[in-house]
Amino acid sequence: LGDTDLNNLCLVCRYHHLVIHGQSGRQVHIASDGRPEFVPPQYLDPLQTPRRNHR
């Protein structure tokens, strides 16, 4: 979670917004190239490798 800023936004549907901000252990952050990366919880990926939507 960070400051509300146009450079720190990621558009997600209501369901995924609740998943990210809930107790799921999932995270999202903006990479250095300005694209969002989604980090799965440790129980799904012990290394918590950031993932991108390539669509």
Side-chain angles (χ1 to χ4, degrees):
L1 299 173
D3 295 333
T4 300
D5 185 323
L6 289 177
N7 296 319
N8 188 27
L9 295 177
C10 175
L11 184 64
V12 294
C13 68
R14 183 176 193 275
Y15 172 79
H16 285 101
H17 178 88
L18 294 173
V19 168
I20 291 168
H21 289 293
Q23 300 297 320
S24 71
R26 297 177 189 273
Q27 300 174 35
V28 61
H29 66 265
I30 305 299
S32 60
D33 64 358
R35 298 192 62 202
E37 292 184 332
F38 300 89
V39 181
Q42 195 169 24
Y43 72 89
L44 288 177
D45 180 0
L47 299 177
Q48 291 189 292
T49 306
R51 300 172 187 196
R52 290 183 172 204
N53 182 348
H54 295 287
R55 289 186 172 207

